[in-house]
Amino acid sequence: MTVPGRSVGPAPTSGPSPLIRSTIWVAIGALIAAALVCVAWVFVGSQDGIVGRAFLTILLLVAFAGVSILEAHLAPRRPAWFALASVVGWVALLLIGAVMIWMPEGRDALRVGLARFILYLVIVLIVQLVLLHVRLFMKASQRHETTFTQVVSIVTVVLVIALAVLLIVPLIIWEYVSFPDLYWRFVTAAAILAAVGTTLVPLMNVLSAPKTAPVADAPAGLAPWPTYAETAIPLPVMADGSPDWGAFYTGRPSPGAHVVGEPAPAQPGYAGFPPPPPLPPRP
């Protein structure tokens, strides 16, 4: 029997989160753009090796689709900015791969093709290292945020991205452009500044860390504080922190001694003679 006005069936489930939707749409747009670029190159470029290039393009698109699905599943476990940055990085790698596949090869196609494949793997490594560096660096910069660390973080991230671009561009067009010495000077300067910015944030975290007072280890084997004879009343304390041994023999605190606890007890039974001295501590 069913209740009127109620539908029987599985409860509706919510769709993907907005972050996952954005990630998927970015991947779809990149696939479409890369496919259009490759198709345009089919009609514009030369016919040499067109079958092999088409096969490599299909492999590239399939690999990117698999990576996009993986990124969509990992997105909820990552910060939103890093999930989006990771997808953008893979999109850039997709477009770079398509360009490197369809660029003219010249005479020695096999050697050039192998060199391009190796260089593409190097580009993938650079992009992934940049993403890893930015994630760890931003996590470290958020431990003790100050105006100085925020400025250093922004400048360092920009320098790291610029350094990656300066390194990737020659790997793509190395066959057609010879870069001057000034270009590599800029690359070296960007690398030095990025390294300095990367080390500044951990150093500032050490300086900004809360200071804790060192805990002194208690010395082992300390003897208990001496007391008056046949009592549990502690002896007075002298100005230098030592026990008042004179009070032990006389029953009265010495001048300048600080009385701890109860006053000195009467000591009958000694007939005016001082009590025996305490036994020395045994090891």
Side-chain angles (χ1 to χ4, degrees), residues 32-58:
I32 296 174
L36 292 177
V37 170
C38 294
V39 170
W41 231 308
V42 168
F43 291 99
V44 175
S46 62
Q47 299 297 319
D48 297 336
I50 189 172
V51 176
R53 293 181 181 184
F55 179 74
L56 291 177
T57 303
I58 294 173

Side-chain angles (χ1 to χ4, degrees), residues 53 92 95 112 234:
R53 293 181 181 184
L95 298 178
V112 173

Side-chain angles (χ1 to χ4, degrees), residues 11 23 60 74 123 152 155 177 199 205 214 244 265 271 275-276:
T23 303
L60 181 65
L74 294 177
I123 294 172
V152 170
V155 174
V177 179
T199 56
N205 288 338
D244 184 7

Side-chain angles (χ1 to χ4, degrees), residues 63-183:
F64 178 78
V67 170
S68 300
I69 295 174
L70 179 62
E71 290 287 338
H73 285 288
L74 294 177
R77 309 176 189 174
R78 296 174 172 179
W81 66 268
F82 181 76
L84 186 59
S86 182
V87 173
V88 171
W90 285 112
V91 168
L93 290 174
L94 172 65
L95 298 178
I96 292 172
V99 170
M100 295 182 71
I101 289 174
W102 290 96
M103 282 193 308
E105 295 178 348
R107 296 182 179 179
D108 195 350
L110 181 61
R111 183 182 64 83
V112 173
L114 181 60
R116 288 182 182 179
F117 176 74
I118 296 175
L119 293 177
Y120 182 72
L121 294 181
V122 174
I123 294 172
V124 173
L125 180 61
I126 291 174
V127 172
Q128 295 305 309
L129 287 177
V130 168
L131 290 173
L132 179 62
H133 175 276
V134 171
R135 184 177 185 181
L136 297 178
F137 183 74
M138 295 304 296
K139 186 177 181 179
S141 64
Q142 293 172 356
R143 293 180 181 175
H144 302 283
E145 289 188 350
T146 61
T147 304
F148 178 75
T149 55
Q150 290 178 353
V151 173
V152 170
S153 301
I154 295 174
V155 174
T156 302
V157 170
V158 172
L159 286 172
V160 169
I161 296 176
L163 176 63
V165 173
L166 291 174
L167 291 175
I168 290 175
V169 170
L171 297 178
I172 299 175
I173 56 176
W174 60 276
E175 305 171 48
Y176 309 100
V177 179
S178 179
F179 292 87
D181 180 68
L182 181 62
Y183 182 88

Side-chain angles (χ1 to χ4, degrees), residues 16-30 68 71-72 75 80 83-84 87-88 91:
S17 65
L19 178 61
I20 296 179
R21 288 179 179 273
S22 302
T23 303
I24 295 175
W25 277 112
V26 170
I28 292 173
S68 300
E71 290 287 338
L84 186 59
V87 173
V88 171
V91 168

